Amino acid sequence: MSSIRQQKIETAIRQELSMILLAKSAEIALGAMVSITVVRVTSDLSLARCYLSVFAHANPKEVLESINTHAGSIRRD
């Protein structure tokens, strides 16, 4: 079970990722609608796992590959 601090950080990360993907949808997500479904942070807050859903695109694997290649710029933002 997550602590309150973990839950707050998970919520903040989910909101920030959503805003980044919304603002740069054409570049990063190839115009597809991407939803951040769940964010899980480890107890020491060193690692966050983000789960995504891809909608309105013929090839969702291509969208995920594009997101993975832009991971560095997403982290910087």
Side-chain angles (χ1 to χ4, degrees), residues 15-42:
Q15 290 174 349
E16 288 295 320
L17 280 175
S18 296
M19 295 303 291
I20 291 168
L21 289 174
L22 182 64
K24 297 183 177 182
S25 175
E27 177 186 338
I28 294 174
L30 305 176
M33 186 176 90
V34 178
S35 174
I36 311 297
T37 55
V38 178
V39 175
R40 294 287 179 237
V41 177
T42 58

Side-chain angles (χ1 to χ4, degrees), residues 1-74:
M1 184 154 176
S2 309
S3 69
I4 294 171
R5 184 173 181 174
Q6 282 176 292
Q7 291 173 358
K8 287 181 180 180
I9 291 174
E10 290 168 354
T11 302
I13 291 173
R14 188 175 69 238
Q15 290 174 349
E16 288 295 320
L17 280 175
S18 296
M19 295 303 291
I20 291 168
L21 289 174
L22 182 64
K24 297 183 177 182
S25 175
E27 177 186 338
I28 294 174
L30 305 176
M33 186 176 90
V34 178
S35 174
I36 311 297
T37 55
V38 178
V39 175
R40 294 287 179 237
V41 177
T42 58
S43 60
D44 63 351
L45 307 177
S46 65
L47 179 68
R49 291 184 186 254
C50 303
Y51 297 91
L52 310 172
S53 293
V54 178
F55 303 102
H57 198 272
N59 192 357
K61 288 183 181 183
E62 183 179 316
V63 175
L64 289 176
E65 288 174 5
S66 175
I67 291 171
N68 284 331
T69 58
H70 288 93
S73 66
I74 293 171

